[in-house]
Amino acid sequence: MAGEELTTAVVVDDHPAIVAGIRAWCAAADPPIEVLDSGTTPAVAWTEPGLSADVVVFDLLLNREVPAYPDLRRLVDAGRSVIVYTMREDRDTILRCLDLGAFACLVKTEGPKHLVQAIQTASRNLPYTPPAMARAIGTDNRSDRPRLTPRETDVLVNWFACESKEMVARKLNLSVRTVNSYIDRVRIRYANAGRPASTKAALVARAIQDGLVRLDEL
């Protein structure tokens, strides 16, 4: 592992068996993911060592009744990369989590392959769409879609396919500042439409929902 940057995570979940499973999956991943801490409340993500984790794996039903949307929003607003890992499989729950800015939303039946990949891609600020999330996005029929210009769409789709804005700038013969400007403009359009997308993954979800890009193009 010398020379490689280790991905770290903190797990917020009140099921000991789930936490033990995530720790084992992360330890066996290639490359491995270090779980810095775990706890039954979001407090574990706000204090060290969990505060320094690259990714927060977040159980949405910590009290088993009411989804912890306010806690999810606070983590996202603080700039944390959050992966929701929940028993709730319904479309509205998944879309709500994405609307709040979750990097990805996985149901607990999806297993280690998808969770490990979601953690690793979130740590690199890259999108990942697990099956349940893809189904939710694919059946989203909400009509509040902002209108993007062809150039905004072009920059957005190329950004999804590249690992950095610098690569997009070189490919499209633009400055990085101009690329940032286009992406910021798209974020504003979505925010004004009542569908904020504060993360790259959330913008990917919006683009798929609105037919700007297909899953097989990512």
Side-chain angles (χ1 to χ4, degrees), residues 146-160 168 172 174 178-179 181-190 203 207 212:
R147 291 181 177 275
L148 306 187
T149 67
R151 194 53 160 166
E152 288 169 348
T153 301
D154 193 27
V155 170
L156 198 64
V157 172
N158 276 280
W159 184 43
F160 296 157
V168 178
L172 300 181
L174 300 171
T178 301
V179 171
S181 176
Y182 277 115
I183 294 173
D184 288 344
R185 207 176 302 164
V186 172
R187 289 191 197 280
I188 291 170
R189 291 186 190 279
Y190 273 107
L203 267 181
L212 300 176

Side-chain angles (χ1 to χ4, degrees), residues 94-167:
I94 294 173
L95 294 178
R96 176 77 182 276
C97 291
L98 296 178
D99 285 346
L100 289 173
F103 231 96
C105 188
L106 288 86
V107 298
K108 289 182 176 176
T109 54
E110 289 182 308
K113 174 184 174 183
H114 293 292
L115 181 60
V116 165
Q117 191 162 353
I119 294 171
Q120 290 174 332
T121 53
S123 72
R124 292 153 50 205
N125 197 33
L126 294 174
Y128 180 68
T129 309
M133 186 171 135
R135 287 194 296 273
I137 291 172
T139 57
D140 182 14
N141 55 10
R142 295 178 295 185
S143 59
D144 47 352
R145 298 178 176 180
R147 291 181 177 275
L148 306 187
T149 67
R151 194 53 160 166
E152 288 169 348
T153 301
D154 193 27
V155 170
L156 198 64
V157 172
N158 276 280
W159 184 43
F160 296 157
C162 295
E163 293 197 4
S164 71
K165 293 173 183 174
E166 288 77 11
M167 293 174 65

